[in-house]
Amino acid sequence: MLKTILLKTLFLLPFIGLSQDLLINTHNRNTTTLNGTWHYIVDPYETGYYNYRYQPYDQQEKNSNSAFYNNYHTDNKMELVEYDFDKSSTLLVPGDWNTQDDKLFYYEGTIWYKRSFDYKISDTTNRLFIYFGAINYKAEVYLNGTKLGVHEGGFTPFNFEVTSVIKPKDNYLVVKVDNTRFKEAIPTINTDWWNYGGITRDVKIIEEPTTFIQDYSLQLKKGSKKIINGTVKLNNAKPNEIITISIPELKINSTFTADGNGNVKFEFKTKKIKYWSPSSPKLYDVYIKTVHQTLKDEIGFRTIETQGADILLNGKSIFLRGICIHEENAMRGARAYNEADALIALTSAKELGCNYVRLAHYPHNEHIVKLADKIGLMIWDEIPVYWTVDFTNEKVLQKAKNQLAEMITRDKNRASVIIWSMANETPVSEPRNTFLKELIKHTKTMDTTRLISAALEKHYKDGINVVDDEIGQYMDIVAFNQYAGWYGGSLEDAPFEKWSIKYNKPVVISEFGGGALQGLHGTIKERWTEEYQEYLYQQNLKMIEKIPNIRGTSPWILNDFRSPKRVLPVIQDGWNRKGLISNHGIKKKAFFTVQSFYKKMKQQYK
Ligand code: GCB
């Protein structure tokens, strides 16, 4: 009987939340964390998902007591039930699974997570959402046996409404997480970083009034230093909802009426803004109010644009003194996920003399973006369109657009974010150009105030380094990776290299560098020594300074990071050794080479 009821519930309820209306600024909403210990079942054969005919349980009526998402209490000892979360081990959420259990270090496949919880709603008219900061890679989410939906993409947030499914007691939340790499995924099969699996970011329940502020954007209008504009989107709005935007410190309190769909476009003038910049990261308290709620944010105001070869921040020409960062706490050798991790990375970047970081190669967690806003570092935000994505596949393009949209939705109110990056080292072809053009178009429908770029490549022709990628014409910044003295090219000659760059735009070297095992010493001619790496940096920087229109660099990379591709024993042992800092937190000699270069550039661009 119980089984029949459960099945009926499963089939009668619509899949809730598939529309994926992403809530932003979850840090300032009414939330309850679901971080902590979750039970898990490793399921390489997806036994909890498919029956023996390999048909998914959630698409049929039989055998559902074998589907792991059902909280199948059997008092009948005759019933065959072959799983029990409560007797299974636990993993910490957020966190990757690879580094929490030795058996899972190389695991790629399905793991089921389960957590039970009670929830006392503060007002019965309110609505409830479950929000995931990110799950790598594919997530299928079930609450109390009801499938809430599916999300694909390992580095962006998503949420589902659970108002009609949640109960005051004994909720049974199950997530099937699958980090299997496949050709039609973004990123695709081949990457030079660890494919950490799991619920890698915060999980929370968000409680909102019936009509609530779902999304908004607020920044200086493109081309203006005095006008603030933006949009607010209410969810489930009644006609003529009133929205007030107030910034007390600027004495702003403006009121607008939403259209029938709960959308407002607004614009107002302001005086005497203290502009946000890395040296003065001023954030203003901003309040968005309706009769239903007040939502606070802390927002910085700055302009970013290009003019010929120049990148102008608040109208002033700047040099991007950057560093690339992976979302990894190198010392733990694990996925980074909280503010403490972010602080370690950004403190090192500041010490290096940076005013800018490239968050490679996928959207990092929101903690680091918010921290960059607070402590003053500009950001390059990127989606994992990396290397050999399946550019001819329309579905793959949709996935990339989706990840791009989730990244922009989440981060568009952060002053620190100045660049949306479309891709990294993608091989030039017509389908690739079409793919990237579509992404650029999509970006511009969502935000026109940031600069658009991608890490391109150079090639060598008749003794000259050439950057002439056709897609460059659509970029605000021409960025490319080059590895002189590491993947070919001679270090002695590097400073004398000749360059031909097709576009009169700011040029940024989005990657350069080479590997060294910290503590390994020798001559400048010996690979993997700190001396070789130091010399590589000295010679590369001499070369880079002379590149026409050069306006920034982000060396590869701040810390040594885990990569299954790096198998050289003793030296690599599963680590990409191009860090300026080791995985024990020790600075290599090259760190100081970059540091003194940045001191000089800071003087030059005062
Ligand atoms: C690159 C890639 C980066 C790699 C790096 C390397 O060009 O963009 O993801 O990790 O080179 O170390 O080879």
Side-chain angles (χ1 to χ4, degrees):
M1 182 60 193
L2 176 65
K3 191 158 112 187
T4 325
I5 296 171
L6 272 171
L7 278 169
K8 286 224 168 104
T9 324
L10 181 64
F11 285 95
L12 291 178
L13 275 173
F15 283 2
I16 298 161
L18 278 180
S19 64
Q20 296 273 319
D21 285 335
L22 189 61
L23 275 72
I24 65 160
N25 186 14
T26 63
H27 295 258
N28 287 317
R29 294 180 189 264
N30 176 8
T31 60
T32 304
T33 183
L34 291 180
N35 290 352
T37 51
W38 291 50
H39 290 281
Y40 73 99
I41 298 173
V42 185
D43 189 16
Y45 281 54
E46 305 196 293
T47 301
Y49 193 76
Y50 293 107
N51 69 10
Y52 81 123
R53 295 290 184 220
Y54 210 61
Q55 293 153 336
Y57 290 121
D58 65 12
Q59 280 158 43
Q60 53 193 277
E61 294 211 26
K62 289 212 176 80
N63 282 331
S64 75
N65 59 325
S66 300
F68 290 179
Y69 45 82
N70 279 331
N71 188 9
Y72 202 79
H73 293 297
T74 169
D75 300 326
N76 178 359
K77 299 277 184 236
M78 296 298 289
E79 198 77 49
L80 177 65
V81 178
E82 294 184 276
Y83 64 96
D84 186 344
F85 275 108
D86 296 331
K87 293 203 176 92
S88 304
S89 315
T90 58
L91 285 170
L92 283 176
V93 169
D96 63 75
W97 66 50
N98 313 71
T99 60
Q100 296 191 52
D101 179 344
D102 287 347
K103 287 202 295 296
L104 299 177
F105 189 59
Y106 286 105
Y107 184 68
E108 296 185 305
T110 285
I111 289 189
W112 295 81
Y113 282 72
K114 176 255 165 184
R115 170 164 181 161
S116 298
F117 64 94
D118 298 339
Y119 192 81
K120 196 172 170 322
I121 198 159
S122 45
D123 178 336
T124 51
T125 65
N126 280 354
R127 295 167 64 191
L128 298 168
F129 297 82
I130 286 190
Y131 178 93
F132 296 91
I135 291 180
N136 192 37
Y137 169 80
K138 190 175 175 193
E140 313 220 8
V141 185
Y142 304 84
L143 181 61
N144 301 329
T146 297
K147 188 166 193 172
L148 303 176
V150 182
H151 182 265
E152 196 179 322
F155 303 98
T156 45
F158 57 99
N159 48 250
F160 298 112
E161 180 157 14
V162 293
T163 315
S164 60
V165 192
I166 209 164
K167 306 177 296 182
K169 285 247 166 270
D170 294 329
N171 289 286
Y172 188 79
L173 176 61
V174 174
V175 186
K176 174 181 183 288
V177 182
D178 185 359
N179 74 334
T180 307
R181 289 169 292 126
F182 59 104
K183 183 168 169 271
E184 300 80 15
I186 306 269
T188 182
I189 293 166
N190 196 21
T191 65
D192 186 22
W193 71 81
W194 207 269
N195 179 27
Y196 291 113
I199 304 180
T200 48
R201 295 189 190 158
D202 299 321
V203 185
K204 41 190 135 179
I205 298 177
I206 306 176
E207 184 167 339
E208 291 292 326
T210 332
T211 301
F212 67 92
I213 301 157
Q214 182 187 308
D215 191 7
Y216 55 87
S217 68
L218 194 123
Q219 67 273 303
L220 283 172
K221 183 178 179 172
K222 194 176 165 73
S224 169
K225 289 188 88 178
K226 291 210 170 65
I227 298 172
I228 292 176
N229 74 358
T231 58
V232 178
K233 180 178 180 183
L234 302 183
N235 185 303
N236 189 32
K238 322 264 173 316
N240 304 320
E241 297 267 1
I242 305 293
I243 296 168
T244 304
I245 296 177
S246 84
I247 311 175
E249 222 184 312
L250 292 173
K251 299 200 169 48
I252 284 167
N253 198 51
S254 296
T255 295
F256 306 90
T257 308
D259 68 14
N261 298 319
N263 293 318
V264 153
K265 271 195 179 161
F266 63 83
E267 184 167 306
F268 48 80
K269 266 201 168 154
T270 174
K271 285 186 211 143
K272 285 203 183 139
I273 298 187
K274 203 169 160 210
Y275 297 105
W276 183 97
S277 73
S279 55
S280 164
K282 168 70 187 165
L283 300 177
Y284 287 93
D285 287 348
V286 174
Y287 299 87
I288 301 165
K289 298 180 195 166
T290 66
V291 290
H292 319 280
Q293 79 185 128
T294 297
L295 189 55
K296 182 188 173 208
D297 204 344
E298 301 89 30
I299 296 182
F301 299 103
R302 52 105 194 92
T303 61
I304 190 79
E305 58 205 321
T306 63
Q307 203 174 75
D310 287 326
I311 303 171
L312 305 174
L313 174 70
N314 302 322
K316 210 174 129 276
S317 173
I318 55 166
F319 187 90
L320 298 176
R321 308 187 308 269
I323 186 73
C324 290
I325 301 178
H326 258 302
E327 192 187 38
E328 192 172 270
N329 177 321
M331 261 112 57
R332 275 205 323 269
R335 221 352 130 239
Y337 56 78
N338 60 17
E339 198 182 355
D341 291 336
L343 190 62
I344 296 173
L346 296 191
T347 305
S348 301
K350 281 267 183 188
E351 208 182 327
L352 189 62
C354 292
N355 60 3
Y356 160 75
V357 290
R358 174 180 177 212
L359 301 183
H361 284 298
Y362 39 75
H364 289 210
N365 65 69
E366 203 173 352
H367 295 288
I368 197 164
V369 181
K370 283 174 72 78
L371 187 65
D373 248 23
K374 221 192 288 182
I375 68 174
L377 281 163
M378 293 176 280
I379 287 180
W380 158 304
D381 241 356
E382 180 162 306
I383 51 166
V385 175
Y386 182 90
W387 292 352
T388 53
V389 161
D390 189 0
F391 292 110
T392 54
N393 187 327
E394 179 62 26
K395 281 196 187 128
V396 172
L397 175 62
Q398 285 311 322
K399 291 178 192 183
K401 277 186 177 172
N402 196 44
Q403 293 188 27
L404 186 63
E406 287 166 344
M407 173 178 78
I408 296 174
T409 302
R410 192 195 72 180
D411 287 351
K412 64 184 172 306
N413 293 316
R414 303 285 69 89
S416 51
V417 177
I418 58 159
I419 296 168
W420 302 125
S421 165
M422 304 292 111
N424 179 75
E425 291 183 354
T426 48
V428 179
S429 72
E430 260 323 292
R432 171 275 208 172
N433 290 351
T434 310
F435 193 101
L436 293 193
K437 271 193 261 177
E438 281 294 316
L439 293 183
I440 293 167
K441 232 194 331 187
H442 195 55
T443 304
K444 289 188 171 168
T445 64
M446 297 191 68
D447 175 39
T448 53
T449 67
R450 305 305 196 296
L451 307 177
I452 289 179
S453 196
L456 307 177
E457 291 176 296
K458 55 129 199 168
H459 60 98
Y460 207 62
K461 202 175 165 207
D462 305 331
I464 296 175
N465 295 284
V466 180
V467 179
D468 60 0
D469 188 331
E470 284 302 308
I471 204 73
Q473 64 187 290
Y474 304 99
M475 303 288 162
D476 296 308
I477 289 180
V478 175
F480 63 92
N481 301 346
Q482 68 79 31
Y483 279 89
W486 192 255
Y487 299 128
S490 109
L491 279 181
E492 286 70 35
D493 298 342
F496 313 104
E497 292 283 341
K498 293 193 175 59
W499 292 86
S500 158
I501 296 174
K502 190 171 169 185
Y503 308 100
N504 181 29
K505 296 183 180 186
V507 169
V508 167
I509 310 301
S510 32
E511 284 176 30
F512 70 103
L517 180 66
Q518 182 273 319
L520 184 68
H521 295 286
T523 69
I524 58 167
K525 292 198 181 312
E526 286 169 283
R527 288 245 182 184
W528 305 112
T529 63
E530 288 196 39
E531 286 70 17
Y532 186 98
Q533 191 194 35
E534 181 186 38
Y535 181 58
L536 181 147
Y537 269 92
Q538 288 163 350
Q539 294 296 89
N540 267 265
L541 289 169
K542 281 184 198 154
M543 171 183 81
I544 287 168
E545 274 187 291
K546 294 190 201 145
I547 292 179
N549 291 5
I550 187 76
R551 288 297 182 278
T553 55
S554 47
W556 190 255
I557 184 172
L558 185 62
N559 284 100
D560 289 354
F561 62 97
R562 284 197 197 275
S563 169
K565 294 171 84 72
R566 306 298 175 171
V567 295
L568 182 65
V570 184
I571 301 289
Q572 292 180 316
D573 292 327
W575 292 85
N576 183 316
R577 292 291 179 201
K578 296 190 189 70
L580 297 177
I581 306 175
S582 77
N583 56 310
H584 302 294
I586 303 172
K587 297 180 181 84
K588 305 178 193 173
K589 282 171 162 248
F591 181 97
F592 302 99
T593 313
V594 176
Q595 193 183 50
S596 57
F597 175 70
Y598 283 166
K599 263 191 201 134
K600 189 169 96 184
M601 295 323 285
K602 194 173 175 186
Q603 281 304 318
Q604 264 184 40
Y605 282 80
K606 250 190 161 158

